[in-house]
Amino acid sequence: MSIFRKSKTTAYLKMQSAKGSPATVAAADAILPRNESPFVQPKGELIDRGLITGGRWPSKQAVAGRWGEGSYSLEIRGSGTAGTAPEFGPLLETLLGTEVTNAAGTVADVSATTTEFDSALDLAVGQLVRVEIGSGYEVRRIATKSGSGPYTYTVHRAFSQAPADAAVIAAGVTYCHLGTEDASYFTLEQYLDGLKLLCTDGVCEKLDLSAAGKDIVKGSFSVRSIGCDDSAATDSLTPSWDTTQALIGLDCNLLLDGASLDMQSMEFSLGTRRSRGGINSSGISDLPFSSVFEATCKLSPWVEDKSPFTAFFAGSLADVEMTKGSTAGNILYVLIEDVQRDGPSIGDDDGDFSWDDSLTVTGGICIGFF
């Protein structure tokens, strides 16, 4: 017998059409986990029966259910093709609830304002849109929609200037929570050099995302599935790897309420509570979508003014925006809305003071790739 080698692992991820209907993965569904990924593996519980026996040893425990549980550490980057979801898209879709894609289009409005524009492009309320503004681009969330083509849209925060008639609207993919989603599930197929672990009816329950100056932008996804069957099946596919360039935190553009900050790092955590089943169920038979999120964010800027402390005592709200990348198909945008400071604290890094600015997210998180 040979030793199982981590470098010989492959994993495939694909959305299911419905609960209980495992997806058939293809070579293009391969994902690229980082080395620290422990993988999603079979979990279960042994329950003490509490029997009185004739000996000094406890009674044998009873097996209570079996499911898949674990995490993946992945690079957060685009697919390389604007308007096409990254291969780890099902993780974001089952966590936040909705994946919205849009093709490229244009503004069709000679009288557009900083908050309103018309377009024949059919966009969804709640999604992110990247619009040509002057000599660059700005990303905003669609707040309202009216009309039947061309449509009239308003955005959640004003552009720096009104978009010009025929201004480009970039193709993109948005992951967001609309509040109207049904439960959705994915199939995760894993091959560990001779051991197959097949997770069906899976969901992502938590994302921890971080960006720092000298590291790639990466995320740790916590995964749970209703089943996790093991076998000796081998991988019959030839994986099609996504070789899109990694995004490095250096030169990320980070805005706090519209003002640019020079940061050491930024990170956020987004989790949602889910039921594991109960009486009248067979093991973990259900993982329904929960609309209750727990979201926090932490910024580490250099100490340059007293505004974090002033804003904390005022209880004011702010938006955090992060953009990274300039190549179409690999531009990452994160919007964290309505954050409140939990109480900034001062740190020391090589003689320079910095904030440890922890935030509670009250308005939601959107992630876009353009």
Side-chain angles (χ1 to χ4, degrees):
M1 174 179 288
S2 61
I3 296 174
F4 285 4
R5 297 176 61 87
K6 197 164 186 177
S7 61
K8 292 287 188 178
T9 61
T10 54
Y12 304 88
L13 188 65
K14 191 172 184 178
M15 288 298 294
Q16 296 181 186
S17 60
K19 177 190 169 187
S21 300
T24 301
V25 301
D29 300 316
I31 60 175
L32 277 171
R34 289 170 48 80
N35 284 333
E36 64 263 32
S37 300
F39 296 103
V40 178
Q41 52 194 295
K43 294 288 184 178
E45 287 185 281
L46 296 177
I47 300 175
D48 192 349
R49 300 171 64 192
L51 299 178
I52 297 176
T53 63
R56 299 175 65 183
W57 304 107
S59 59
K60 291 183 176 63
Q61 294 178 318
V63 177
R66 175 188 174 112
W67 60 89
E69 186 177 320
S71 63
Y72 273 98
S73 176
L74 302 170
E75 295 178 354
I76 305 300
R77 50 169 171 70
S79 66
T81 303
T84 299
E87 80 276 3
F88 56 85
L91 296 171
L92 292 172
E93 184 174 351
T94 55
L95 173 65
L96 281 160
T98 295
E99 176 190 272
V100 183
T101 62
N102 70 271
T106 58
V107 171
D109 191 351
V110 294
S111 59
T113 69
T114 57
T115 58
E116 183 178 290
F117 66 92
D118 294 348
S119 176
L121 192 62
D122 191 1
L123 304 171
V125 173
Q127 81 168 92
L128 299 171
V129 60
R130 185 171 183 259
V131 181
E132 183 181 20
I133 302 293
S135 60
Y137 284 82
E138 295 179 8
V139 180
R140 297 291 186 268
R141 181 175 57 79
I142 297 295
T144 66
K145 173 183 179 180
S146 60
S148 57
Y151 304 92
T152 297
Y153 299 103
T154 64
V155 292
H156 81 289
R157 184 169 68 83
F159 293 112
S160 60
Q161 65 185 67
D165 186 36
V168 174
I169 300 174
V173 182
T174 299
Y175 296 94
C176 57
H177 176 56
L178 301 179
T180 57
E181 297 92 348
D182 293 324
S184 58
Y185 305 89
F186 56 70
T187 294
L188 174 65
E189 211 167 285
Q190 306 168 109
Y191 296 89
L192 283 67
D193 195 18
L195 171 65
K196 177 183 178 181
L197 297 175
L198 175 62
C199 297
T200 56
D201 296 333
V203 297
C204 177
E205 294 184 310
K206 186 179 181 183
L207 167 62
D208 295 304
L209 185 148
S210 63
K214 296 181 180 180
D215 200 357
I216 64 168
V217 181
K218 59 185 176 181
S220 177
F221 296 87
S222 297
V223 175
R224 190 183 303 273
S225 65
I226 291 174
C228 188
D229 296 328
D230 58 278
S231 72
T234 57
D235 186 359
S236 62
L237 299 175
T238 300
S240 175
W241 302 119
D242 183 349
T243 57
T244 303
Q245 184 68 31
L247 296 177
I248 300 175
L250 195 66
D251 296 328
C252 273
N253 183 26
L254 192 140
L255 304 177
L256 179 61
D257 219 24
S260 180
L261 294 178
D262 187 11
M263 305 290 299
Q264 294 188 77
S265 64
M266 187 279 278
E267 59 188 65
F268 73 80
S269 177
L270 174 63
T272 181
R273 297 192 295 270
R274 298 176 186 271
S275 170
R276 298 190 184 185
I279 294 174
N280 290 334
S281 67
S282 176
I284 295 186
S285 61
D286 205 5
L287 285 171
F289 187 85
S290 172
S291 61
V292 180
F293 286 104
E294 295 175 343
T296 59
C297 179
K298 186 172 78 173
L299 308 178
S300 297
W302 304 106
V303 175
E304 296 175 338
D305 57 53
K306 63 182 179 64
S307 58
F309 286 100
T310 303
F312 164 61
F313 287 109
S316 55
L317 299 174
D319 289 350
V320 179
E321 301 170 74
M322 186 187 80
T323 306
K324 177 62 183 180
S326 58
T327 304
N330 196 23
I331 298 170
L332 167 67
Y333 178 86
V334 177
L335 171 64
I336 306 175
E337 287 192 84
D338 290 347
V339 300
Q340 282 187 301
R341 288 183 160 98
D342 297 328
S345 59
I346 298 176
D348 185 352
D349 187 354
D350 292 333
D352 289 323
F353 288 119
S354 62
W355 300 122
D356 181 6
D357 200 1
S358 59
L359 312 163
T360 295
V361 182
T362 68
I365 296 175
C366 295
I367 300 174
F369 299 94
F370 299 95

